[in-house]
């Protein structure tokens, strides 16, 4: 039998992309579809170039590349600030490993939309690690939770987060109450959708004072935490190790001794790098006093970020938590470069890092704004209408009679799927 990818050799990139989408090639566990585009490009051969055929690309197209068994891929799904803006959601990082595992670090405001653009079946997006409980680090957890359950996450959402200095400042308290805040939303979905993803968050709250403490160990992946110094007691950073690769995600912090010690020699070291103090005053309209405090004491200034990276010496340093624009990036870069001269990425949303022991490739993802959720990885359950919470008589009696125009829709679907669903 001729394998379908062979048929595609020599087709144009657009045609290949169209076929990839039509066939819905998606395997969240392996983080890959067939490597159609690479094969099509390879068919062009070295040194050849044609105006009508695909050439090597410099962007990452979600759901189009295999991840090698020894490779990790990091995608920035939020690099910005608490203040919403279209270009940058707030802190969120998706890490995919060659063993099929996927981890979300932070779920800041606006980030669920970025995650959706990656076309990963939601069953594989069930592990979230929160650095702290500022909304720019967990403000889209509700969107990921409800939207994911609606579109193929058929299991609980697992969340790891730090304790606080009081129970009310811990992750468990925050998520128990977030779940309660969703009472109306969740009750209204009963009997209408597959219920398995809407069960309460599975929260693992760990000691925020733990130093290099193991909080996760599954499938060859170990995740440890170290404390951070930011706003109140509670924030942490994460260190993930797998297959000889080390990934560090730093939450908000004043530069701290634990990061200096335990992030050493990371392959990728993410650390916050805040807007410059003059930038806070001029563009964010902070008072000079407020800008000095927020820009150097509550957060890490670019100069301090650079000093930290000179100590840690990662294979690549990744800076985030600033509005990354043409008029802010040069100054931030210059200030970092006054204290650090190693490999550096000033991150923005949809930046992608492919990491193996031999190489680190940095690109931008080119995403489809018209994206739909991918095929669920398992069959959905048929909803049980007896679980529906009924309307009051007052509201139910307000229904205008539309049965005559709705019945043909029932007829159409019953015929197509060989069913006998009755209109209520
Ligand atoms: Zn914060
Ligand atoms: Zn923050």
């Amino acid at each position: 039998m001729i394998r379908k990818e062979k048929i595609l050799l020599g087709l144009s990139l657009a045609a290949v992309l169209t076929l990839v989408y039509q066939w819905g090639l998606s395997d969240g566990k392996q983080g890959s579809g067939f490597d159609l585009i690479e094969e099509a490009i390879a068919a062009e051969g070295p040194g050849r170039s044609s105006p009508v055929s695909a050439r090597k690309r410099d962007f990452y197209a979600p759901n189009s590349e295999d991840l090698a068994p020894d490779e990790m891929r990091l995608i920035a799904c939020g690099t910005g600030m608490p203040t919403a803006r279209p270009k940058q959601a707030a802190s969120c990082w998706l890490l995919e490993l060659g063993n099929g595992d996927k981890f979300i670090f932070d779920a800041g405001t606006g980030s669920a939309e970025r995650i959706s653009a990656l076309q990963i079946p939601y069953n594989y997006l069930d592990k979230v690690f929160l650095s702290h409980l500022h909304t720019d680090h967990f403000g889209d957890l509700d969107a990921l939770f409800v939207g994911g359950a609606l579109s193929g996450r058929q299991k609980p959402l697992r969340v790891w987060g730090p304790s606080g200095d009081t129970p009310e400042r811990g992750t468990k308290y925050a998520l128990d109450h977030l779940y309660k805040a969703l009472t109306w939303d969740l009750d209204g979905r009963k009997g209408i959708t597959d219920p398995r993803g809407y069960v309460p968050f599975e929260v693992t709250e760990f000691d925020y004072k733990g130093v290099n403490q193991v909080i996760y160990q599954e499938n060859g992946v170990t995740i440890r935490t170290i404390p951070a110094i930011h706003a109140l007691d509670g924030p942490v950073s994460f260190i993930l190790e797998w297959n000889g690769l080390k990934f560090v995600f730093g939450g908000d912090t004043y530069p701290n001794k634990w990061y200096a010690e335990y992030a050493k020699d990371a392959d990728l070291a993410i650390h916050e790098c805040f807007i410059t103090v003059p930038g806070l005053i001029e563009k964010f309209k902070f008072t000079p006093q407020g800008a000095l405090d927020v820009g150097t004491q509550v957060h890490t200034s670019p100069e301090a970020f650079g000093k930290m990276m000179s100590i840690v010496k990662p294979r690549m340093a990744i800076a985030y938590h600033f509005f990354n624009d043409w008029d802010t990036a040069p100054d931030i870069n210059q200030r970092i470069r006054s204290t650090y001269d190693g490999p550096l990425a000033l991150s923005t949303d949809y930046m992608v890092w492919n990491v193996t022991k031999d190489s680190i490739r940095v690109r931008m993802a080119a995403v489809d704004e018209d994206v739909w959720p991918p095929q669920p990885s398992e069959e959905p359950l048929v909803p049980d209408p007896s679980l529906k919470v009924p309307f009051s008589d007052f509201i139910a009696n307000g229904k205008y009679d539309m049965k005559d125009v709705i019945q043909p829709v029932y007829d159409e679907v019953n015929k197509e799927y060989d069913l006998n669903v009755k209109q209520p």
Side-chain angles (χ1 to χ4, degrees):
M1 188 183 153
I2 303 170
R3 294 177 66 213
K4 53 190 166 185
E5 55 266 48
K6 297 294 180 210
I7 301 169
L8 295 168
L9 296 180
L11 293 186
S12 73
L13 174 61
V16 171
L17 277 172
T18 305
L19 285 166
V20 169
Y21 286 120
Q22 281 174 352
W23 282 340
L25 299 177
S26 130
D27 174 357
K29 193 154 194 176
Q30 297 306 319
S32 66
F34 299 138
D35 213 348
L36 300 169
I37 295 165
E38 285 293 330
E39 291 199 20
I41 292 164
E44 287 297 302
R48 274 181 276 160
S49 169
S50 155
V52 294
S53 58
R55 292 180 297 281
K56 198 95 182 145
R57 298 166 303 148
D58 285 327
F59 62 85
Y60 167 67
N63 189 23
S64 72
E65 285 183 23
D66 289 323
L67 202 55
D70 62 345
E71 186 178 15
M72 65 165 60
R73 178 168 54 215
L74 172 70
I75 305 177
C77 294
T79 58
M81 306 274 296
T83 308
R85 72 176 341 204
K87 179 171 150 181
Q88 286 173 281
S91 178
C92 181
W93 302 83
L94 180 87
L95 187 72
E96 302 177 273
L97 305 181
N99 68 359
D101 282 345
K102 298 177 194 301
F103 302 90
I104 296 168
F105 291 91
D106 279 354
T109 320
S111 60
E113 173 196 308
R114 307 294 198 249
I115 292 171
S116 79
L118 304 176
Q119 304 183 34
I120 298 166
Y122 279 95
N123 259 343
Y124 303 115
L125 298 171
D126 67 331
K127 294 185 282 298
V128 182
F129 293 76
L130 301 178
S131 67
H132 64 299
L133 296 166
H134 270 150
T135 52
D136 57 318
H137 297 258
F138 91 120
D140 243 19
L141 196 67
D142 51 357
L144 181 68
F145 172 65
V146 174
L150 184 67
S151 299
R153 198 192 67 251
Q154 300 143 330
K155 54 173 85 164
L157 188 63
R158 303 165 73 190
V159 184
W160 286 257
S163 60
D165 58 344
T166 68
E168 295 78 16
R169 295 190 184 127
T171 302
K172 184 101 178 67
Y173 178 93
L175 297 202
D176 285 350
H177 287 75
L178 177 59
Y179 194 79
K180 284 180 188 157
L182 297 172
T183 299
W184 189 92
D185 182 303
L186 299 175
D187 283 354
R189 296 175 195 280
K190 286 178 182 164
I192 296 173
T193 52
D194 187 331
R196 291 173 292 176
Y198 297 104
V199 296
F201 302 103
E202 274 186 9
V203 182
T204 304
E205 183 176 288
F206 54 82
D207 181 5
Y208 73 92
K209 288 182 175 167
V211 177
N212 210 28
Q213 78 181 329
V214 174
I215 58 152
Y216 178 98
Q217 206 155 31
E218 291 178 27
N219 205 15
V221 180
T222 302
I223 300 178
R224 297 184 166 85
T225 67
I226 49 174
I229 306 169
H230 173 67
L232 296 168
D233 271 35
V236 299
S237 296
F238 296 100
I239 300 157
L240 179 147
E241 287 180 275
W242 166 75
N243 198 36
L245 294 175
K246 180 171 173 180
F247 164 82
V248 180
F249 169 59
D252 291 358
T253 192
Y254 185 91
N256 69 72
K257 63 180 184 183
W258 303 289
Y259 195 97
E261 180 172 354
Y262 293 102
K264 271 209 172 80
D265 302 321
D267 294 280
L268 294 179
I270 302 174
H271 194 290
E272 71 140 302
C273 172
F274 218 64
I275 295 174
T276 65
V277 168
L280 281 169
I281 297 167
E282 288 155 27
K283 305 221 13 155
F284 248 85
K285 313 302 177 202
F286 274 49
T287 62
Q289 295 86 343
L292 280 166
D293 190 29
V294 172
T296 71
Q297 303 301 313
V298 180
H299 290 282
T300 297
S301 69
E303 298 85 348
F305 170 91
K307 181 171 176 178
M308 180 57 69
M309 289 305 169
S310 288
I311 297 161
V312 169
K313 293 187 177 36
R315 279 177 72 204
M316 181 162 288
I318 300 174
Y320 80 105
H321 220 314
F322 58 95
F323 281 171
N324 190 346
D325 295 341
W326 62 272
D327 58 344
T328 55
D331 191 22
I332 286 176
N333 188 58
Q334 201 168 21
R335 286 165 189 261
I336 293 173
R337 287 313 189 190
S338 71
T339 51
Y340 173 64
D341 62 3
L344 172 68
L346 299 184
S347 67
T348 194
D349 288 18
Y350 295 129
M351 200 174 270
V352 180
W353 294 259
N354 283 74
V355 183
T356 64
K357 283 185 180 135
D358 302 322
S359 74
I360 297 178
R361 184 180 186 195
V362 190
R363 293 173 288 173
M364 292 298 293
V367 302
D368 176 9
E369 294 214 330
D370 298 320
V371 69
W372 286 65
Q375 182 78 21
S377 61
E378 293 167 34
E379 280 295 306
L381 285 183
V382 176
D384 175 359
S386 72
L387 297 175
K388 275 189 190 174
V389 178
F391 286 116
S392 65
D393 289 345
F394 173 78
I395 292 299
N397 288 335
K399 281 190 172 177
Y400 205 90
D401 184 4
M402 290 285 166
K403 288 200 168 186
D404 56 337
V405 296
I406 292 176
Q407 189 54 46
V409 183
Y410 275 72
D411 294 343
E412 181 187 346
V413 172
N414 282 332
K415 184 165 176 235
E416 175 73 26
Y417 295 96
D418 198 19
L419 297 169
N420 187 23
V421 185
K422 297 265 189 290
Q423 189 177 174

